[in-house]
Amino acid sequence: MNVGTNGIVVDQHGNVLLIKRNDTRTFAPPGGALDAGELPPDGVSREVREETGLIVLPVRLTTLTYLPLTPNGFLAFTFRCLLRGGEITTSAESPLVGFFKTTPLPRRMSSFHRERVVESLAHAGERPLFFQHPVSPFNKAARFVLRHVVYRWLDVKRRLQGRPPYQPPPTWQVAAYLLCRNEAGAALWHRPHEHASWQLPGGVASGLTAPWQTAVHHAQKQTGLQLHPHHLSDVYLGPNDNQLTLIFSAKTAQSAPQATQTAAWFAPRSKPDTQHPLHHQIAGNGATNNQPTRFHRLDM
């Protein structure tokens, strides 16, 4: 899966920072691919500075969005950011940079960038929204032209200018797990078989499916319950440089099943005999639904 960031920066007049992309010639919030070993807040700060010359501080994750475009799909973290300094400067990737009115936004903007900007500007509270962008036939055709025509032409220009060839962004392994607690505060755990370690419901995303949808699908098979994610509480980087683990708080409207050899509820002070190390750390963090999304770096 490809992973990237966008930064939403608003000036004192309520105008939003946008760039004009060099590849599509459309307007977009500054952002780009997440580097291997980089946390999303660090990635958005770097991308905004590289593309606009401005120094920003990401203060709140507003949306987590998924775009199911081949070959890998694209997961985007969008942050509201505070302007801390710098001067507006263009770059090879952003030949035009400036603050623009939000009503209306520039007409030449992709539907998914427009949706991220609109939702982020209206966002209130601590919980980020998470949703999947619809993909139209036009989006698919534009993606094909970008990959097979525009990017190849840009590579030719790089060679003619003596610049290094374009390096594609890293592919990430993204996993999503659901932390579901009952009214007594007990967490739902499962294990593949009775001799395996206990872990939270969920798993590694695959295909062109949003990570939270993958987690719901795995949880149904693992526990027999239909879980409903409602808050992205934590994001973990590692243990390898291109691994992200997303933790969603979840609820279920179904009656809790009786404990079995492969699925059970464990109270906060009661823990399974053998636990997956990362999942033990996650459950012990005790995130609440009123906290903003937290970002962690695991020991590499």
Side-chain angles (χ1 to χ4, degrees):
M1 186 178 297
N2 295 125
V3 178
T5 62
N6 284 122
I8 305 298
V9 186
V10 177
D11 68 9
Q12 66 270 29
H13 304 294
N15 299 320
V16 65
L17 179 66
L18 299 175
I19 66 168
K20 191 171 187 180
R21 295 168 54 111
N22 73 319
D23 51 3
T24 62
R25 298 296 174 179
T26 59
F27 288 92
L34 194 65
D35 286 347
E38 190 174 46
L39 282 168
D42 299 329
V44 74
S45 298
R46 174 184 55 77
E47 284 287 348
V48 172
R49 187 162 192 179
E50 289 178 354
E51 293 184 345
T52 72
L54 298 179
I55 302 169
V56 299
L57 174 68
V59 293
R60 186 172 77 254
L61 179 69
T62 56
T63 68
L64 176 70
T65 55
Y66 183 71
L67 187 63
L69 283 175
T70 57
N72 300 314
F74 190 84
L75 186 70
F77 294 83
T78 301
F79 294 85
R80 282 296 297 263
C81 302
L82 290 179
L83 181 60
R84 301 297 297 271
E87 294 183 2
I88 287 182
T89 307
T90 60
S91 72
E93 295 179 349
S94 51
L96 176 62
V97 180
F99 284 92
F100 294 81
K101 293 184 181 297
T102 59
T103 51
L105 287 166
R107 189 173 158 198
R108 290 183 57 83
M109 180 180 288
S110 70
S111 59
F112 47 89
H113 280 135
R114 183 179 300 273
E115 191 170 17
R116 293 174 200 168
V117 172
V118 170
E119 293 292 352
S120 295
L121 290 174
H123 182 268
E126 302 294 354
R127 295 186 190 179
L129 303 174
F130 54 94
F131 55 89
Q132 179 169 304
H133 294 294
V135 177
S136 67
F138 175 80
N139 295 141
K140 294 180 180 179
R143 175 68 171 172
F144 180 87
V145 172
L146 275 177
R147 293 184 64 202
H148 298 282
V149 178
V150 176
Y151 290 157
R152 290 184 180 181
W153 165 238
L154 290 176
D155 269 342
V156 171
K157 289 182 64 176
R158 283 172 174 269
R159 287 198 297 270
L160 293 175
Q161 295 169 355
R163 298 164 59 198
Y166 169 74
Q167 296 297 319
T171 301
W172 290 76
Q173 181 190 79
V174 178
Y177 295 94
L178 305 178
L179 181 56
C180 182
R181 297 189 185 276
N182 61 19
E183 293 181 355
L188 181 63
W189 294 77
H190 91 95
R191 56 182 176 180
H193 54 82
E194 59 179 307
H195 301 297
S197 296
W198 292 90
Q199 54 190 295
L200 298 173
V204 176
S206 61
L208 294 178
T209 303
W212 52 90
Q213 294 173 343
T214 299
V216 169
H217 175 72
H218 282 308
Q220 172 72 38
K221 296 201 308 184
Q222 294 161 350
T223 69
L225 293 175
Q226 185 72 26
L227 303 184
H228 304 282
H230 60 88
H231 174 50
L232 176 65
S233 62
D234 296 272
V235 176
Y236 292 83
L237 169 65
N240 294 327
D241 281 348
N242 63 338
Q243 288 181 311
L244 282 181
T245 300
L246 314 178
I247 307 301
F248 292 88
S249 299
K251 297 179 179 178
T252 180
Q254 297 174 254
S255 299
Q258 296 295 320
T260 67
Q261 293 294 327
T262 57
W265 297 85
F266 289 92
R269 295 186 180 181
S270 171
K271 62 180 182 179
D273 47 3
T274 57
Q275 293 174 296
H276 187 288
L278 172 59
H279 295 204
H280 171 68
Q281 178 180 343
I282 291 167
N285 276 339
T288 68
N289 296 331
N290 297 322
Q291 291 179 326
T293 302
R294 302 179 300 182
F295 295 86
H296 314 265
R297 187 182 301 273
L298 296 172
D299 293 333
M300 302 296 179

